[in-house]
Amino acid sequence: MQKKSMTITGCIFDLDGVIVDTAGYHYQSWKKLANGLGFDFAEEENEAMKGISRMDSLDVVLSIGGIEKTQEEKLELAKQKNDLYLSQLSDLSSDHLLPGVKDFLDLLRSKGMSIALGSASKNARFVIDKLGIKSYFDAMVDGNDVSRSKPDPEVFLTAAELIHRKPAELVVFEDSQKGLIASNEGGFISCGVGDPEVLTNALFVLESFEGLTLEGLSQHILQSRSHHSSIS
Ligand code: BG6
Ligand code: MG
């Protein structure tokens, strides 16, 4: 039987939880901040924080603690959280890349694919620098460049524009439901990275990038599309 093929011209990567496992550092920093304010912040509650901006995350944390703050106080708390977060990144290096990421970036480069970053983090460029992978990216869009947080597709649409590619030809890799909604909303091919039970907004989910080929990626897309069309 002849295999179907499809056109992918590039990939957009979320950063935290896709390229590097910084989600735990974000969580520990919010937990410390919450503890300092007199309440606890459980790990299960952290899932909803993935993909959203620092200020939106702070609002979630404060609402869990039932605490109200002025805008000025919020800015100070967000700064405290960021200082806690950055203090954990001093040793960050390419050793912290998630499994298979480097090989997959090399593969994309060798095949002439466009590569972009689409992250909510204002620390994204700093983290990418520390990981030593800056040269792979044709464009980087992060929390400093957009005015609307995921699930709004602005971050991915801006990245697509910068690399001059159509959303339908780009695979977005995301570890958060909010990011996957943003990707779907923008008309991208949405690939979850992590747990399929959690990432229900993905077209398909990969456990990691280990061993991923472009043919494998195309097959995942085609199979998931035919599965979705047969059940809808
Ligand atoms: C996202 C993370 O990538 O960036 C969130 O998933 C984080 O947990 C957000 O809050 C903002 O990050 P930063 O580095 O700007 O505080
Ligand atoms: Mg993420």
Side-chain angles (χ1 to χ4, degrees):
M1 193 176 73
Q2 203 193 343
K3 277 188 185 169
K4 285 188 195 166
S5 66
M6 62 168 310
T7 310
I8 303 167
T9 59
C11 295
I12 303 180
F13 294 82
D14 172 47
L15 175 65
D16 297 306
V18 169
I19 288 178
V20 60
D21 197 7
T22 36
Y25 298 148
H26 278 294
Y27 168 64
Q28 289 303 330
S29 314
W30 286 121
K31 187 178 164 70
K32 253 192 198 161
L33 193 88
N35 291 169
L37 292 168
F39 64 96
D40 202 17
F41 174 52
E43 193 146 18
E44 305 86 75
E45 290 164 324
N46 192 49
E47 199 56 48
M49 309 272 281
K50 289 184 182 169
I52 62 173
S53 71
R54 196 180 307 162
M55 293 310 283
D56 287 352
S57 304
L58 176 63
D59 284 337
V60 174
V61 172
L62 291 177
S63 75
I64 289 169
I67 289 177
E68 281 187 25
K69 294 282 179 191
T70 63
Q71 187 58 18
E72 202 180 325
E73 289 167 332
K74 281 188 192 178
L75 290 171
E76 176 50 33
L77 287 170
K79 185 186 170 316
Q80 279 177 32
K81 183 270 171 180
N82 199 46
D83 290 345
L84 288 167
Y85 176 63
L86 290 178
S87 71
Q88 299 176 77
L89 299 188
S90 51
D91 295 335
L92 198 70
S93 72
S94 56
D95 293 345
H96 295 86
L97 286 167
L98 282 166
V101 168
K102 182 79 168 34
D103 286 346
F104 188 60
L105 287 172
D106 279 326
L107 178 75
L108 292 177
R109 264 279 156 270
S110 73
K111 302 282 182 191
M113 295 278 149
S114 296
I115 305 176
L117 187 79
S119 166
S121 172
K122 292 190 169 181
N123 295 301
R125 285 173 168 84
F126 170 74
V127 170
I128 289 285
D129 251 358
K130 294 233 17 140
L131 295 171
I133 54 170
K134 191 176 165 187
S135 61
Y136 286 98
F137 291 89
D138 300 305
M140 287 199 258
V141 183
D142 70 16
N144 298 291
D145 307 310
V146 293
S147 51
R148 295 182 300 276
S149 210
K150 296 170 190 175
D152 190 285
E154 184 183 4
V155 66
F156 297 134
L157 291 173
T158 308
E161 237 173 77
L162 287 174
I163 56 175
H164 310 290
R165 301 287 183 215
K166 294 190 189 86
E169 295 176 359
L170 296 171
V171 181
V172 166
F173 294 101
E174 256 296 346
D175 72 318
S176 74
Q177 284 280 73
K178 301 244 168 46
L180 289 165
I181 295 169
S183 169
N184 292 338
E185 197 65 26
F188 296 88
I189 302 164
S190 305
C191 173
V193 183
D195 183 351
E197 301 266 308
V198 175
L199 301 177
T200 52
N201 285 300
L203 178 64
F204 62 100
V205 179
L206 300 175
E207 214 174 288
S208 83
F209 289 97
E210 260 179 322
L212 185 63
T213 61
L214 283 183
E215 196 187 38
L217 190 61
S218 299
Q219 288 310 312
H220 275 297
I221 298 167
L222 290 169
Q223 275 164 17
S224 322
R225 280 187 175 156
S226 69
H227 175 72
H228 281 261
S229 63
S230 70
I231 56 172
S232 60

